[in-house]
Structure formats: C-alpha cells, structure tokens
Amino acid sequence: MLIPQPTSHAPGSGRFTLTAGTGVHAPDAPEVAALLRDLLSPATGLPLPDAPAGPGTISLRLTEGHGPEGYTLTVTGDDVLATADTADGLRWAVQTLRQLLPPEVYSPTPVEADWSVPCGRIADSPRHAWRGGMLDVGRWHHPMSFLYAFADLLAAHKLNRFHLHLTEDQGWRFDVRRYPRLTEVGAFRSSSPLGHTLDNLSDHTPHGGFYTQDELRGLVAYAARLGVTVVPEIDLPGHTQAAIAAYPELGNRPDVRHEVMTRFGVSEHVLNVEKSTVDFMRGVLDELVDVFPSEYIHLGGDEVPPREWSENPGARALMAELGLTSPEGLLGWWIRQLADHLATRGRKVIVWDELVGAGAPADAVVMAWRGPERVEEALAAGHAVIATPQSHLYLDHAESVAPGEPLSITGPLPLDKVYGYRPGDGVLGVQGNLWTEYLPNAARAEYNLLPRLAAVAEVAWGTAGDVAEFRERLATQVRRYDAAGVNYRPLD
C-alpha cells in the first residue's frame, strides 16, 4: 500500500522483523541512518544503533545505476538492503521502508505494533526532477512549527521541493535587515475578511507576523535533511502593497499612503520602475540568497495590473526608451533586472506563466498555473516548465462544494481530478499549490492539503494509474495521517 506507487515491486515470501537487536549499517551515508532513526524510533521505541553488516541489520549503501533519486530496497527474512546513487535516493528508500511498516509507525510517541515488513524487492525512480508543494504564508502568517510539519508531509510523500511564498499584498514575511520597515509595517494588517472577501465584511482583528533569517535557516537545514529543498518566492512587481505600505517611495504614487491590504484579491498598487526601487529589491534578494541556498529563486510576476504604469511619467518614459507599445511589457523588464542580478550570485529564476511572451529571460523556469494549455505554451516558447495548473493542482480549491464543507476560495476540485492530471512529456516537474486566503490555521490548511497531496505525489513520481486502485491504497495512507495526528478531509 505504497504512495507513490513504486516503479517496480516484486513481493517475496516471509517478513523481516525489527527488534531491539536490529542495527543500521550505513558507512556511506550516516546522515541517512540518523534520519531513519528519527523516523522509526519514536513510534517503535527501538534504538536502531550503528552496527556491522550482517543478519538482523538494515544496510544503506551508495552504489551506481539507480539514477539521481532512484533506489532499490531488498527485504529478506534476515536483513534489509537499500542501495542508491545518492543520499537522496537512500532517503526515499527509507520513506518506503517506513510505509512498509504498520501505519502506527507515524506516531510521534511509542505504540505497540508488529514492527515487521514484508519481504520483496522494490526498484524505484521518479519521472520528474521537480516534485513540489507550495505554501502561501503571505495571506496568513503560519507558525514556524507548521512550516516544519509541511516539510515533513512533503518528504513523506517523496516530494522534494518546498516552494515558500513569502510576500503578498496582505503581508510581508521575510525579515530584511537593511529594510526593517518591511516587517515592522509590512508584516501586519489591521483586519482580515470575515467570510468570503466578496462579502465585504471585516473581522476587525489585527493579524501579522514574520520569520527571522535564523528561523528560516533552521527550516532550510531541517528540510534538507529530509531531502527537501526550500525555494523562496518574493512576488513582484505586483502583489507588493505590503512593501509599498512600508516604503511608499517604492510605489507609483509616493505621495499617497497605503496600508497593508485587508481584503483578499489583487491590489492595483505595484512597484514603480525607478532605479532606486530596482536597487531596493536587489538588496532584498541579496539577503534572501544568503538564507536560502536553493539553485532557484521565484520572482513571481503574476497578476500585475498595468494601470499605475500607464499613468506614471517615469514608466511611460521607460516604455518609450524600450520601444514598448503597452505597459504590460514592463513586467519582463522588471524580471530581467533582477534575474541578471541573481545570476551574479549563481542563481536562476522561476516566474509565473504571465511572463511567457512578455520578455522573460530565456533561461527562466516557468511555473504554468493558468491551465494545462499554459504548460504547452511555455514549453513551445523554449522554457523549462513546472506544471501547476489551477484546474488540477490548486489545493486551496475545495474538494467538494457539498453542504458542510468549510469555506474555500472556489471549487470543486475532486481528488479524482487531481489524480487524473497528466503533464505530458518534457516538463521539469509537477507541483501542488496551497494558497491560504481561507486557510488561516494548520488544521484548515491540512484539511485542504490532504489527502489530495498524495495524488499530486503519485502524478509527480510518474506512476499514477487507475484511480480506483489508488483509492484502495489511500485507505492505508489516511491511517498514517491519523497516527501522525494531522488533519485531512475524510475519504468519500
């Protein structure tokens, strides 16, 4: 009952039982041996100490021939052997071994169970290099404990990218030491919508918070130990009203004071095109890359209303200088300024699909969100593409709109539709996105995330098949959620 379904699984006969005498032999990858203990010991109560290879041992070895994240896992009645080309491959082998144990192994405290695994051989390798989940902390400041839990959930589903959306009109969450007002002012709003934002009601309750650089470094290190890379997003030049509230000179009307946005939706207030504003954002990114070692930095670029640019003399002058016929062309200019700067720091950029045909750097990775057809358009334009169409992979959409379902931004997006998505050939990867306008706490976020994240994981791994068979395996997966104490939407 494995999720994602492995590439190849040949069951054997018999079982291997973990006992107080079971040891771990991993001279090639002691960090993965430590991870195995962290994942298995809390529930089993077993110490799983270092041990020489031999009967009764779990061995983790680096060998060749599996691919970057591939592995083999061989279980006999005497021992367990995991082999992989890389530590990441061994990490996924450990996650598979964990799933072969009873669901109670996900408990954070000791429980009684038959700690044995069935014999057999699994040879497994993912289809897509990028298998991600996105968490929006701009709309609601979620506690750092939930960010750690989100990394745990990604790793448990063999998802290897944690896209962290850090800034929004409604809140700026990244601590920038040279620009303290971004968090002193931009991280806090005076109220939030009550009910759906279209109801135009307020809860009259202040909300806010941010993450220090050291807190985020801790998250990065924790996720990396799980095999998960945290990829930060600073969304610009739109979705920046919180930054403009903190530093009005960043906006197109510095004489007008704005507050951090208190409604959900898209603000018309965007960054201006002054050199000082570009330099300001270069400074933000300089601090960001010192915290996040990710090869990629997400620069956003989505939903940028052009009205302010069309009215701003400086923006109109730049349009004339660049030979642009519409203010929308300034979007590509903005992204290129920062992509060029990030290149000097050895980083590449990701952008939303509005940048296709709008002057995106040729080597920018496009995150295609406005539909499956946008995936094909971005591929045709020569970009590397991460498929995340809202029609199939926006997990903030309600799974059902039946009476009794909690408020979500829209819906429905049934689990079967998520599982049925096939990105086709040529994409870099697949990602499920969790925007949080209507997910103000961990329990609500988990309810929308699970169990559909399991469907995303199997699509991303490349082994999705018959949905009825998947649902049979999902019945065991939700028992794992129960043991871990995470919330989820019950299966239909």
Side-chain angles (χ1 to χ4, degrees), residues 135 137 140-149 211 215 440-442:
L135 178 64
V137 295
W140 294 96
H141 173 261
H142 288 276
M144 185 59 67
S145 59
F146 181 61
L147 274 61
Y148 277 70
Y211 310 109
E215 284 177 324
N441 54 55

Side-chain angles (χ1 to χ4, degrees), residues 133-358:
M134 188 277 289
L135 178 64
D136 161 27
V137 295
R139 273 51 179 257
W140 294 96
H141 173 261
H142 288 276
M144 185 59 67
S145 59
F146 181 61
L147 274 61
Y148 277 70
F150 195 84
D152 287 332
L153 287 170
L154 294 178
H157 292 84
K158 297 189 177 77
L159 296 166
N160 65 355
R161 296 291 188 276
F162 181 168
H163 171 183
L164 184 58
H165 184 85
L166 283 164
T167 64
E168 265 301 336
D169 294 314
Q170 295 83 9
W172 182 286
R173 309 296 176 211
F174 175 63
D175 175 28
V176 184
R177 292 168 179 171
R178 71 187 73 182
Y179 305 128
R181 286 177 59 83
L182 284 173
T183 46
E184 291 173 357
V185 174
F188 300 90
R189 61 177 181 260
S190 60
S191 64
S192 304
L194 182 64
H196 200 285
T197 195
L198 297 178
D199 297 335
N200 202 29
L201 299 174
S202 171
D203 67 0
H204 302 291
T205 302
H207 173 79
F210 62 94
Y211 310 109
T212 70
Q213 293 188 13
D214 286 342
E215 284 177 324
L216 290 168
R217 287 189 179 96
L219 174 67
V220 166
Y222 180 83
R225 191 164 175 270
L226 296 167
V228 175
T229 299
V230 183
V231 180
E233 180 183 0
I234 300 294
D235 199 354
L236 52 85
H239 290 274
T240 50
Q241 184 168 321
I244 294 168
Y247 291 93
E249 64 269 25
L250 302 177
N252 288 276
R253 288 286 306 277
D255 57 316
V256 177
R257 295 296 184 263
H258 301 290
E259 66 173 357
V260 177
M261 194 171 176
T262 58
R263 298 189 63 205
F264 298 135
V266 179
S267 171
E268 65 177 4
H269 304 303
V270 303
L271 299 178
N272 64 43
V273 297
E274 301 300 322
K275 181 181 183 299
S276 58
T277 300
V278 175
D279 287 341
F280 183 103
M281 286 301 166
R282 286 174 178 146
V284 169
L285 295 178
D286 283 341
E287 296 198 23
L288 189 80
V289 299
D290 286 342
V291 173
F292 295 92
S294 167
E295 176 185 7
Y296 292 99
I297 302 296
H298 202 311
L299 294 179
D302 62 315
E303 299 177 324
V304 182
R307 184 185 64 82
E308 287 191 337
W309 286 340
S310 68
E311 298 173 352
N312 182 285
R316 291 200 303 269
L318 181 60
M319 287 172 54
E321 177 184 335
L322 298 174
L324 300 175
T325 58
S326 69
E328 286 86 351
L330 293 173
L331 173 59
W333 175 86
W334 244 114
I335 296 299
R336 289 193 303 275
Q337 306 310 301
L338 299 183
D340 289 347
H341 181 69
L342 286 170
T344 68
R345 302 295 302 269
R347 306 304 178 89
K348 301 174 184 177
V349 302
I350 301 172
V351 294
W352 295 109
D353 64 38
E354 282 90 339
L355 269 294
V356 176

